[in-house]
């Protein structure tokens, strides 16, 4: 199988831009994602957004048929966000093409990663950041399920729940250090000492002793991060969380 090149990606994006300019149902087009900031690398996908006047479903169906016919798309999926539908296409060369079909009234930047190519954009509210208290609450909830999974001898479930606990902790770290906190996008920007401490919450096997070791590390990290957000809450959670560790 041939894997896409940056040139393949650029040529496809150029063809989509040209098609959008010729479609009178489209009120504006923008490059989004890393491409908006000219930050693409070898593995970047295509992120493209269209403002739609009138029937979005008709435009979406038309563009989908075009991508299958002209660009050999093998599959697609939809991710709704606010009033937009992000249709995510997979090409046989493994290139991912994300096209946001957005009603014209809501077509605009929700983050710095939006570069208008033509047409009109309207000011949009930014997406909310993850709430630190919510992450703490999810952390202790995952911890309860790690404990019960270990005690029931369900190693895979315990590892799954540990992943949820660990991700809550890492999200709290991102929030504390002011880096992007959604979908792991800012993890590479965290200080090395922060991410190094989280390594202890990874498991190397499903053996009982190893699961319990990673669980202890995850709980201690959760309490440390909670203390940065709300020391009183961290103190309240300390006794029951540590009691889970046996």
């Amino acid at each position: 199988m041939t894997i896409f090149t940056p040139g393949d990606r650029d040529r496809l994006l150029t063809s989509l831009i040209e098609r959008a300019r010729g479609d009178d149902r489209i009120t504006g087009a923008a490059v989004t994602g890393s491409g908006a900031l000219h930050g693409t690398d070898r593995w970047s996908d295509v992120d493209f957004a269209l403002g739609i006047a009138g029937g979005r479903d008709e435009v979406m169906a038309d563009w989908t048929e075009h991508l299958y016919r002209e660009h050999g798309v093998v599959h697609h999926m939809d991710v709704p966000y606010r009033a937009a539908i992000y249709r995510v296409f997979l090409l046989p060369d493994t290139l991912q093409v994300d096209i946001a079909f957005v009603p014209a009234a809501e077509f605009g930047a929700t983050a710095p990663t939006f570069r208008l190519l033509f047409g009109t954009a309207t000011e949009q509210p930014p997406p909310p950041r993850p709430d630190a208290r919510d992450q703490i609450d999810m952390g202790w909830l995952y911890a309860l399920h790690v404990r019960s999974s270990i005690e029931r001898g369900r190693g895979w479930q315990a590892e799954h729940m540990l992943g949820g606990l660990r991700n809550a902790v890492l999200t709290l770290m991102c929030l504390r250090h002011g880096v992007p906190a959604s979908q792991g996008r800012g993890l590479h920007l965290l200080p090395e000492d922060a991410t190094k401490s989280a390594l202890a919450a990874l498991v190397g096997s499903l053996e009982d002793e190893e699961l319990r070791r990673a669980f202890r590390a995850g709980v201690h990290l959760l309490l440390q991060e909670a203390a940065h957000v709300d020391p009183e809450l961290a103190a309240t959670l300390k006794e029951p969380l540590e009691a889970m560790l046996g």
Side-chain angles (χ1 to χ4, degrees):
M1 183 201 313
T2 301
I3 303 300
F4 76 92
T5 66
D8 296 330
R9 180 185 63 225
D10 294 344
R11 283 188 291 274
L12 191 146
L13 177 58
T14 297
S15 73
L16 295 177
I17 294 169
E18 291 175 353
R19 190 170 197 271
R21 289 185 185 277
D23 190 332
D24 60 11
R25 301 168 298 181
I26 291 172
T27 61
V31 173
T32 59
S34 58
L37 303 176
H38 303 287
T40 54
D41 61 19
R42 168 68 181 87
W43 302 108
S44 297
D45 53 17
V46 172
D47 293 302
F48 192 48
L50 300 172
I52 310 297
R56 182 187 59 192
D57 290 350
E58 177 185 336
V59 176
M60 199 157 50
D62 183 27
W63 276 67
T64 298
E65 192 276 333
H66 169 80
L67 279 155
Y68 273 90
R69 185 184 68 246
E70 301 297 331
H71 298 286
V73 165
V74 297
H75 189 60
H76 74 270
M77 62 175 287
D78 288 345
V79 180
Y81 177 71
R82 294 183 178 174
I85 297 291
Y86 286 76
R87 183 152 285 183
V88 183
F89 299 93
L90 174 65
L91 273 65
D93 61 4
T94 73
L95 178 61
Q96 174 185 334
V97 179
D98 298 353
I99 303 181
F101 295 88
V102 191
E106 298 197 27
F107 178 70
T110 59
T113 50
F114 181 96
R115 177 161 53 91
L116 186 67
L117 298 171
F118 68 85
T120 303
T122 60
E123 186 174 347
Q124 301 296 320
R129 285 167 60 82
D131 182 79
R133 282 292 298 266
D134 288 347
Q135 296 302 313
I136 294 169
D137 288 345
M138 289 306 300
W140 66 254
L141 184 60
Y142 275 117
L144 283 170
H145 288 283
V146 176
R147 190 267 306 271
S148 62
S149 298
I150 291 174
E151 297 302 335
R152 290 166 177 158
R154 299 176 182 176
W156 279 112
Q157 186 179 18
E159 194 282 330
H160 176 80
M161 295 299 175
L162 268 167
L165 169 58
R166 188 174 58 248
N167 288 339
V169 168
L170 288 168
T171 300
L172 287 166
M173 288 181 179
C174 288
L175 291 170
R176 177 161 62 90
H177 288 281
V179 302
S182 297
Q183 301 179 333
R185 295 183 183 276
L187 293 178
H188 66 291
L189 300 173
L190 287 172
E192 185 178 353
D193 61 342
T195 50
K196 186 176 180 179
S197 68
L199 290 173
L202 293 171
V203 295
S205 74
L206 299 181
E207 297 296 325
D208 184 84
E209 183 178 348
E210 174 65 2
L211 289 168
R212 292 181 188 277
R213 181 205 59 76
F215 184 33
R216 286 193 296 273
V219 165
H220 290 149
L221 284 170
L222 176 62
L223 287 170
Q224 289 173 22
E225 290 301 319
H228 288 291
V229 177
D230 186 334
E232 184 176 345
L233 175 60
T236 298
L237 293 173
K238 187 176 189 298
E239 184 175 351
L241 280 171
E242 292 187 340
M244 296 182 202
L245 304 177

